[in-house]
Amino acid sequence: MRWLSTIALHVLLLWSVTATAAQPPKQAYVSSAHPLASAAGIEILKQGGNATDAAIAVTAALAVVEPYGSGLGGGGFYLLRHAGKKTNYQFLDARERAPLAAHANLYRINGVVSTKLSLDGPLAAAIPGIPAALDELSQKHGRLSLAENLAPAIALARNGFAIDKVYQERASWRLAALQKDPESARIFLDQQQLPKTGWILRQPDLANTLSLLAAQGAKSFYQGPFAEKLVQNIQNAGGIWSLKDLALYQVKWRQPLIVPLAEQRQLITAPPPSAGGIAIAQSLLMLQRLPWQQAKPAQRAHYLAEVFRRAYRDRSLLGDPDFINNPIDALLARQHIVQMADSIQVDQATPSSHLPPGSVLYEGDHTTHFAILDQQGNAVAATLSLNMMFGAAFTVPETGVLLNDEMDDFAADVQGSNAYGLIGSQVNSIQAGKRPLSSMSPSFLEGPHEFAAFGTPGGSRIPSMNVLAMLEFLNGKAPQQWVASPRIHHQYFPDVLGFEPGALTEQQQQRLVKQGHEVKELTRNYGNQQVLWWQKDSGHSAAASDPRGSGASLSH
């Protein structure tokens, strides 16, 4: 294993891989959480667009057909692979920012934090990044025009589409909040009630907003009459956005986190303000010191739980890099990884309370992910979010823009926990203009012979899901097995090894309990992973969409 000094890591973050004589992918792929969004991406590829063009089309289409997971009122992270004589990677941070009027006691009433205020309504909304990201991606790396790339989404919004069981289920989870907001109820419900499958969802206001964006770019959203309409409606409903908030918003190009692994592979993943990328890197580095491949299922679950326990503990040290100095070097240093791995006992769980202090970030778990590979070898993996299902459940009148509730991803109460039982962290406290910490972690694994892309929604479970899929890849399994493998999870606190229904047998559970784990079978499956794979020696490529969702992996 090649370990990095502080200087070497900084060099590595600027490093690009010299491409070998790879055979270009024989087929392009788009894998997303909704068939109509995947089809929008394929349509753009057929028109001569590249992976970035398709990413713009898929992002916009998901805003229409999957309003519970992402949208123009939200944000996200984009990881890009640029093919050529040298393979270069980029990371676009389109995470939302806290309004300038936000402060540490924003949700505190009479000394007590009200979680309801950070979840529902416009006060819960941070300044969105997706409109700016679409324009930035188009200008910097698009081959087609922004108008061409947004055309499929505009048609979907204007003409409508039939909702499926996934929409119906997720709307049911937020029914009361949607009913409370007249505009959201008008658009997303059928006469105030949960719509039946097959009901046609039409969003003409959103189509108009997308058309404005297509014609004038991001300035149409963040400045001028449209911005004034947003701010006036949000302030009238109790929010704190200002025109200055919108005018000052910018996406950020950041250096992706690149970490060498065994067998000449490297992990390319999300840097802060994602905490997920570092958790994935730490987990993989620790696992390289453990015999996880030879272990039987219960013992492998033990190793994974102990690795996740330690990686998740360190996330409390991370925050928005524009506000704090993140200790990336220290968290990935050889000494730290070895110390954590060597503290794992073969037959005994380590109680989280026995580890040095740490805490876990706030986070919602309802996001979306897509992965795209074009026939030149360019790739995009993106994870997008509104936070809770349907975000703040507040739609700005006459715009079709459903707002996020990402302010709940801050530690509104650094001494307490949020709706997900996750402990607060001072470095992730609310501050004007700050980006909340996230687990969203679109990732690549690349070596001389293979390239793979990973990502999923799932809040705090995103890093563990990505690691589990990566282990299937490292074991030589096919992409459909990466996304279908049973899932287990540990996040330091609460000190519980959770698992999907049926992921562990009774006998395996008993062994884990004997080792000191508290095990808990979850009530439902989780995640919606989208992956792709390219065998560079042959040019063969493939993709897979999580069977737990209703997404589709389409080829061209």
Side-chain angles (χ1 to χ4, degrees):
M1 175 64 206
R2 175 185 169 194
W3 294 97
L4 305 174
S5 66
T6 300
I7 295 175
L9 180 62
H10 285 297
V11 172
L12 182 62
L13 290 175
L14 300 173
W15 179 62
S16 63
V17 180
T18 300
T20 58
Q23 293 296 317
K26 293 179 179 178
Q27 286 186 301
Y29 275 95
V30 177
S31 185
S32 86
H34 198 287
L36 292 174
S38 296
I42 291 293
E43 180 180 337
I44 293 302
L45 291 175
K46 287 181 177 179
Q47 292 176 21
N50 59 21
T52 301
D53 292 306
I56 295 167
V58 172
T59 298
L62 286 170
V64 176
V65 300
E66 208 188 30
Y68 44 81
S70 66
L72 295 186
F77 296 143
Y78 294 80
L79 182 63
L80 285 71
R81 180 190 195 270
H82 302 296
K85 290 184 178 179
K86 286 190 174 180
T87 300
N88 293 300
Y89 308 103
Q90 284 186 297
F91 182 83
L92 183 63
D93 175 2
R95 185 74 162 143
E96 303 89 339
R97 294 181 66 199
L100 295 174
H103 53 85
N105 294 313
L106 182 62
Y107 302 113
R108 197 176 292 275
I109 300 175
N110 297 324
V112 179
V113 169
S114 170
T115 56
K116 193 72 172 173
L117 293 177
S118 66
L119 292 173
D120 298 339
L123 190 62
I127 308 304
I130 291 300
L134 295 176
D135 195 357
E136 181 76 3
L137 289 167
S138 179
Q139 290 191 44
K140 292 289 170 62
H141 300 298
R143 188 179 295 162
L144 305 182
S145 68
L146 182 59
E148 288 173 300
N149 291 330
L150 295 182
I154 293 169
L156 284 169
R158 200 173 301 283
N159 299 332
F161 67 98
I163 68 161
D164 57 16
K165 290 182 179 180
V166 174
Y167 178 101
Q168 187 183 53
E169 177 189 52
R170 296 181 182 183
S172 73
W173 295 345
R174 294 282 277 158
L175 182 59
L178 290 169
Q179 288 172 330
K180 188 176 179 181
D181 176 49
E183 189 70 358
S184 295
R186 182 183 69 81
I187 297 170
F188 301 112
L189 301 179
D190 184 6
Q191 299 186 23
Q192 285 283 324
Q193 300 305 312
L194 192 66
K196 295 179 180 179
T197 56
W199 180 73
I200 304 300
L201 172 58
R202 293 184 175 88
Q203 300 168 81
D205 288 337
L206 181 57
N208 292 337
T209 297
L210 285 165
S211 297
L212 187 65
L213 187 65
Q216 300 180 19
K219 65 181 182 182
S220 68
F221 188 94
Y222 295 94
Q223 301 173 35
F226 188 87
E228 291 171 4
K229 184 186 298 183
L230 286 175
V231 169
Q232 182 178 355
N233 280 291
I234 287 169
Q235 289 185 353
N236 289 345
I240 57 173
W241 285 20
S242 69
L243 288 173
K244 187 175 182 181
D245 285 317
L246 290 168
L248 288 178
Y249 183 87
Q250 289 184 328
V251 292
K252 290 286 185 85
W253 288 102
R254 303 192 190 277
Q255 290 293 341
L257 186 66
I258 305 178
V259 179
L261 302 172
E263 300 180 4
Q264 295 184 284
R265 290 191 178 100
Q266 59 185 356
L267 168 71
I268 305 99
T269 189
S274 169
I278 289 175
I280 291 170
Q282 287 183 320
S283 297
L284 292 176
L285 291 171
M286 279 188 276
L287 285 166
Q288 287 186 166
R289 300 184 61 82
L290 298 169
W292 63 272
Q293 285 175 302
Q294 295 78 36
K296 292 182 179 180
Q299 185 63 25
R300 182 179 294 190
H302 167 72
Y303 285 139
L304 287 167
E306 294 303 296
V307 162
F308 293 152
R309 183 198 307 276
R310 287 156 175 80
Y312 276 71
R313 176 198 57 179
D314 280 352
R315 299 196 303 172
S316 64
L317 302 172
L318 302 169
D320 184 345
D322 296 333
F323 283 75
I324 71 163
N325 291 319
N326 288 292
I328 298 174
D329 297 349
L331 295 179
L332 295 179
R334 180 182 190 278
Q335 181 179 2
H336 184 56
I337 297 296
V338 170
Q339 185 180 47
M340 289 196 296
D342 289 354
S343 71
I344 295 173
Q345 300 180 58
V346 175
D347 296 317
Q348 190 64 40
T350 304
S352 293
S353 59
H354 290 186
L355 294 174
S359 58
V360 183
L361 70 149
Y362 277 53
E363 191 154 19
D365 63 354
H366 307 302
T367 56
T368 193
H369 181 85
F370 65 81
I372 298 170
L373 177 69
D374 68 22
Q375 287 184 285
Q376 288 71 51
N378 303 302
V380 179
T383 310
L384 316 174
S385 182
L386 290 171
N387 196 33
M388 293 284 285
M389 289 294 178
F390 290 91
F394 178 88
T395 304
V396 182
E398 300 178 26
T399 69
V401 176
L402 180 64
L403 297 187
N404 68 81
D405 58 356
E406 295 288 0
M407 293 298 289
D408 189 61
D409 274 4
F410 284 114
D413 182 1
V414 297
Q415 302 301 320
S417 62
N418 73 344
Y420 305 95
L422 298 176
I423 301 168
S425 168
Q426 189 64 51
V427 296
N428 191 41
S429 60
I430 298 173
Q431 193 170 345
K434 193 176 186 180
R435 287 171 161 85
L437 203 58
S438 172
S439 283
M440 294 188 296
S441 45
S443 301
F444 300 148
L445 282 178
E446 182 154 13
H449 307 290
E450 290 180 294
F451 169 82
F454 303 85
T456 182
S460 61
R461 295 170 182 159
I462 289 174
S464 64
M465 280 189 279
N466 280 336
V467 169
L468 292 171
M470 289 173 181
L471 296 183
E472 294 296 289
F473 162 71
L474 294 173
N475 263 339
K477 303 290 182 65
Q480 193 56 53
Q481 293 172 287
W482 309 353
V483 297
S485 61
R487 290 171 181 157
I488 67 169
H489 176 72
H490 200 294
Q491 62 181 47
Y492 181 60
F493 279 116
D495 192 352
V496 174
L497 171 54
F499 60 95
E500 288 185 316
L504 295 172
T505 66
E506 284 291 335
Q507 186 177 11
Q508 290 163 356
Q509 293 176 50
Q510 290 171 11
R511 172 163 179 174
L512 288 162
V513 169
K514 185 178 287 188
Q515 288 179 316
H517 293 281
E518 180 181 343
V519 299
K520 180 181 180 181
E521 185 169 27
L522 304 175
T523 58
R524 62 180 178 88
N525 294 333
Y526 60 88
N528 197 357
Q529 184 118 176
Q530 311 296 324
V531 301
L532 55 83
W533 171 73
W534 166 31
Q535 213 290 329
K536 293 193 282 185
D537 295 332
S538 65
H540 180 66
S541 56
S545 187
D546 201 317
R548 298 163 183 80
S550 58
S553 298
L554 304 180
S555 64
H556 165 56

